[in-house]
Amino acid sequence: MEHKKLYRYTSNKEGVFSAGKRLLPESLGDEALEARKWMPKPQLPEGDYRFFLTEKGKNQYERTLFKVHQKYLSNFECEEIDPQKIGNVVYEDEWQVVIKKEIPKTIKEVGFDFSWDEKKVWQLDIPVTEMDITELIWHFDIPFLWEGGGIYNLTPQDVIDDKERHISEYERTMKADLVHPIDIMENKGRWLILDGLHRLMKASILGMKKVKVRIIPRDKIPEITI
């Protein structure tokens, strides 16, 4: 099935379907169920997926479920997506296209072996210190970012080198607040960021030699896992 355009709606940068399900008030449950009954629910194996709307699906969503989402979600954005850049499609129909969010080998080789909640990390009582930025800029060569609807298809260095081409991520980077430290943890022999990649990018762009960090001990892992 060929689609010329795809669309992804987000609320506070999170996909509206996942945000809508996670935050749905009990009082709107029946209304939301009725408003999305036109959209088939694909039978997918357990995993992490991203959903895109076709043009027909976008128009139908705006007439139905979007009106429910507006009652309890905020900061909506609609991104037009190039179907050629989204990755491997695992399901599609006239309304939607679904891809599985697969972590590239390059990230698996350097990444953590657990999933964490950034909000839990923020709540930890850890002192702030300073670190030479050179110990962290290895992150810039790994595709920790994404754009165009794909997953992990953009390196921080791509953004730093060509801000016009990657304007959305560049603007997000320059809005990062350097008042907050970068949360890091030792992993596989080097410091790996738990939270604060865009702050590190901004610090580098500004020519900073040191950055504020919080070094999270590995014994805190049980306190931050999802």
Side-chain angles (χ1 to χ4, degrees), residues 208-221:
M208 296 172 60
K209 302 301 182 183
K210 292 182 178 291
V211 288
K212 292 190 296 184
V213 300
R214 294 197 310 163
I215 299 175
I216 312 299
R218 291 192 65 87
D219 62 15
K220 294 292 185 181
I221 291 175

Side-chain angles (χ1 to χ4, degrees), residues 100-206:
K100 187 172 184 181
K101 296 165 67 174
E102 297 179 321
I103 300 175
K105 180 182 178 182
T106 53
I107 293 182
K108 289 181 179 179
E109 289 174 348
V110 302
F112 294 114
D113 59 0
F114 61 91
S115 298
W116 67 99
D117 184 334
E118 291 177 350
K119 292 181 180 178
K120 292 181 179 179
V121 176
W122 301 340
Q123 292 170 358
L124 295 175
D125 184 14
I126 303 293
V128 177
T129 186
E130 281 193 331
M131 176 176 288
D132 287 343
I133 198 170
T134 54
E135 294 198 53
L136 297 174
I137 58 174
W138 67 268
H139 288 79
F140 293 171
D141 295 323
I142 309 297
F144 286 117
L145 308 175
W146 52 78
E147 66 178 0
I151 303 296
Y152 300 114
N153 60 1
L154 182 67
T155 71
Q157 196 64 52
D158 291 333
V159 179
I160 294 170
D161 289 343
D162 194 345
K163 65 180 182 180
E164 297 299 330
R165 184 178 179 184
H166 310 291
I167 189 63
S168 179
E169 277 299 317
Y170 184 82
E171 289 179 347
R172 180 183 177 189
T173 297
M174 299 314 292
K175 289 178 182 177
D177 191 347
L178 297 183
V179 168
H180 303 294
I182 299 167
D183 291 316
I184 61 176
M185 179 181 287
E186 188 279 328
N187 190 69
K188 300 176 182 177
R190 53 184 168 181
W191 300 112
L192 180 59
I193 293 176
L194 286 160
D195 180 63
L197 179 57
H198 287 90
R199 297 194 287 280
L200 178 67
M201 292 164 63
K202 181 176 180 178
S204 178
I205 292 169
L206 296 178

Side-chain angles (χ1 to χ4, degrees), residues 20-58:
K21 181 179 179 181
R22 182 173 60 83
L23 300 173
L24 179 64
E26 186 175 348
S27 60
L28 293 175
D30 291 341
E31 185 178 352
L33 186 63
E34 177 67 20
R36 69 162 296 161
K37 67 180 183 180
W38 53 272
M39 179 181 283
K41 185 176 182 180
Q43 298 300 310
L44 300 169
E46 185 176 347
D48 194 6
Y49 298 92
R50 177 167 285 185
F51 292 76
F52 303 94
L53 293 170
T54 65
E55 192 153 7
K56 183 176 180 180
K58 173 181 179 292

